[in-house]
Amino acid sequence: MTALDLNNKRILVTGGAGFLGRQVIDQLCQAGADKNKITVTRSRDCDLRVLENCQRAVDQQDIIIHLAAHVGGIGLNQAKPAELFYDNLMMGAQLIHSAYQAGVEKFVCVGTICAYPKFTPVPFKEDDLWNGYPEETNAPYGIAKKALLVQLQAYRQQYDFNGIYLLPVNLYGPEDNFDPKSSHVIPALIRKVHEAQLRGDKQIPVWGDGTPTREFLYSEDAARGIVMGTQFYNDPEPVNLGTGEEISIRDLIHLICELMEYDGEIIWQTDKPNGQPRRCLDTERAKQAYGFVTQVGFRQGLTNTIDWYRKHGA
């Protein structure tokens, strides 16, 4: 398996200042990239919904890793479906087109697990991506991101443009977004438990009934999978990045409480949405295609995330 030599490559990482982006840059450097040749876009300085900004961003670049996204949990998906659809579609579509026009050597698009149909056989296989409509609360976001897979495959077919599409499962880790208005489930629960401890609360409310299952990928592992894909994968088919292990939300909150030494009662808010019933990926393609397997166990990853939040985020 011949690796793409990252040394001397000019690499653009959209969203590179974010939670996952910082890890991707670290992994790029470990894989031989020159940090001085890595460019990062920030939304406040470079709105990728504007075509001219995309054109400027990709100019003179060899590799684009597109991580930038307008994303959040169920609450944000319910409140702003139109924004999530428009922002993610326009950023990605214009960036891919601009990269093709600029003669970029490789485009790495990071998609979302929300693209899968609501009722997908578990574990999710990449070949099932189109076999149904996504779970309703995150469908606008998921469909916008999935459209970029179609674009990359079309550009490969017509223009021989080398674009790949990676599908990481739910991410977590240090430096995650802990804002209760837009955070995903793990940072939201860690913050909820932490604040309950500070107040001395004996119970905490949690959305849904606890039955849905989720799979979680530690951010450092996800970044390594993305960089390995950049180096070694050049095929049109999408690739799942995950652990292949699932946990129910009920078991997840009990594990977080155990690790944080909180013994209060969980109050299930069954009037709130559960989201997709199950999420767990088949990770065989990533393993077979370029040898990606995860390295950080779930308990260790959660412990690292809790420790970071208690030091920096609280």
Side-chain angles (χ1 to χ4, degrees), residues 9-307:
K9 296 293 186 187
R10 293 159 299 183
I11 304 172
L12 171 69
V13 183
T14 71
F19 159 56
L20 177 60
R22 288 189 287 269
Q23 298 276 2
V24 166
I25 289 169
D26 286 346
Q27 293 293 322
L28 282 168
C29 293
Q30 289 182 41
D34 181 346
K35 192 162 189 178
N36 294 320
K37 295 186 176 181
I38 298 174
T39 303
V40 170
T41 60
R42 291 174 171 82
S43 57
R44 64 175 181 270
D45 304 320
C46 182
D47 185 345
L48 295 174
R49 295 172 300 178
V50 178
L51 177 60
E52 293 76 12
N53 292 343
C54 292
Q55 292 168 332
R56 277 194 296 272
V58 303
D59 186 45
Q60 303 297 311
Q61 300 293 333
D62 299 308
I63 299 169
I64 313 294
I65 300 178
H66 180 43
L67 305 176
H70 186 179
V71 62
I74 291 177
L76 185 69
N77 279 300
Q78 285 188 313
K80 298 185 174 181
E83 285 182 34
L84 291 170
F85 180 83
Y86 179 84
D87 291 354
N88 289 290
L89 181 65
M90 297 307 291
M91 281 193 291
Q94 296 186 138
L95 197 69
I96 291 169
H97 189 68
S98 299
Y100 151 68
Q101 288 185 315
V104 166
E105 182 179 344
K106 186 165 188 178
F107 194 104
V108 179
C109 187
V110 177
T112 173
I113 194 69
C114 300
Y116 273 100
K118 180 176 182 177
F119 298 106
T120 307
V122 178
F124 295 4
K125 296 182 187 297
E126 294 93 342
D127 292 343
D128 289 330
L129 197 56
W130 296 100
N131 293 344
Y133 195 75
E135 197 278 323
E136 292 79 6
T137 55
N138 53 43
Y141 170 65
I143 290 171
K145 296 289 279 187
K146 187 157 60 167
L148 306 180
L149 168 61
V150 178
Q151 184 180 5
L152 287 172
Q153 290 174 332
Y155 279 47
R156 180 185 291 270
Q157 180 181 342
Q158 185 172 344
Y159 305 133
D160 199 29
F161 181 62
N162 187 12
I164 67 168
Y165 191 89
L166 307 177
L167 280 158
V169 77
N170 299 60
L171 303 181
Y172 75 103
E175 302 184 352
D176 203 344
N177 169 27
F178 287 84
D179 182 343
K181 296 187 183 69
S182 57
S183 58
H184 287 104
V185 62
I186 284 180
L189 292 176
I190 289 172
R191 177 171 179 150
K192 193 169 282 195
V193 171
H194 180 76
E195 291 180 346
Q197 288 176 311
L198 291 180
R199 292 191 300 261
D201 293 350
K202 299 302 181 189
Q203 52 183 226
I204 56 170
V206 178
W207 276 27
D209 62 13
T211 60
T213 67
R214 293 292 180 264
E215 175 183 346
F216 297 100
L217 180 61
Y218 192 59
S219 55
E220 183 181 309
D221 275 333
R224 197 166 45 78
I226 290 165
V227 172
M228 288 178 68
T230 304
Q231 292 178 283
F232 296 109
Y233 189 69
N234 296 293
D235 291 338
E237 292 80 17
V239 177
N240 288 335
L241 298 179
T243 64
E245 300 172 0
E246 63 184 315
I247 184 172
S248 71
I249 300 301
R250 184 177 298 273
D251 289 343
L252 172 64
I253 184 59
H254 287 309
L255 177 56
I256 289 172
C257 288
E258 175 195 330
L259 293 173
M260 298 182 73
E261 298 181 337
Y262 175 73
D263 58 2
E265 182 186 3
I266 309 301
I267 305 299
W268 294 102
Q269 296 180 300
T270 54
D271 59 323
K272 302 289 188 183
N274 271 330
Q276 193 161 17
R278 290 181 72 187
R279 276 190 194 160
C280 184
L281 298 183
D282 182 304
T283 57
E284 197 60 30
R285 182 175 289 175
K287 191 184 303 180
Q288 295 297 327
Y290 58 88
F292 172 69
V293 291
T294 57
Q295 295 179 350
V296 180
F298 191 46
R299 287 182 73 96
Q300 185 59 55
L302 274 181
T303 299
N304 296 349
T305 307
I306 291 164
D307 289 348

